[in-house]
Amino acid sequence: MDPIMVNKLIEWHGHPIEVRISDRLGLDPVAPPKTYDLARTELDSDGGYIRFYISDWQFLAVPVFEQLTELTEEEFTSTDSEGKLVYSIKRL
């Protein structure tokens, strides 16, 4: 995972986010979108996941992939082609 991307996510700390998990085509949501306040983000020790903490102990672990993970000013997206899921975290 690109350290610059991890550092950019620090700017999101303390802001509300919308979490959406959908199928690979984006047609059938796996879970309804949820809104949380982002406490912090953390890259796990092997660099395969970013943890989006919504409290001191609760987090959503999102897999990261070299070519399939993107970050813009307002949205983090990661596509798990093996699991056929798209994780979208939008800064509100």
Side-chain angles (χ1 to χ4, degrees):
M1 168 107 225
D2 181 0
I4 295 171
M5 189 180 293
V6 174
N7 288 335
K8 286 183 179 181
L9 285 172
I10 291 172
E11 298 172 9
W12 292 25
H13 294 183
H15 292 274
I17 58 169
E18 179 186 77
V19 176
R20 181 183 303 265
I21 303 170
S22 57
D23 71 4
R24 191 170 173 191
L25 298 175
L27 301 174
D28 186 26
V30 174
K34 296 274 191 165
T35 302
Y36 304 99
D37 287 328
L38 182 62
R40 70 181 193 275
T41 53
E42 184 178 288
L43 189 60
D44 74 343
S45 59
D46 69 0
Y49 290 85
I50 290 184
R51 295 177 184 158
F52 288 84
Y53 280 85
I54 56 174
S55 73
D56 287 339
W57 61 91
Q58 293 177 309
F59 62 88
L60 171 68
V62 178
V64 293
F65 305 96
E66 186 79 26
Q67 303 294 322
L68 301 174
T69 300
E70 298 178 350
L71 176 64
T72 66
E73 289 292 321
E74 300 298 322
E75 189 168 15
F76 174 91
T77 306
S78 191
T79 302
D80 181 351
S81 57
E82 186 176 311
K84 297 183 174 42
L85 296 174
V86 177
Y87 298 85
S88 174
I89 296 64
K90 185 180 290 188
R91 180 179 170 179
L92 302 177

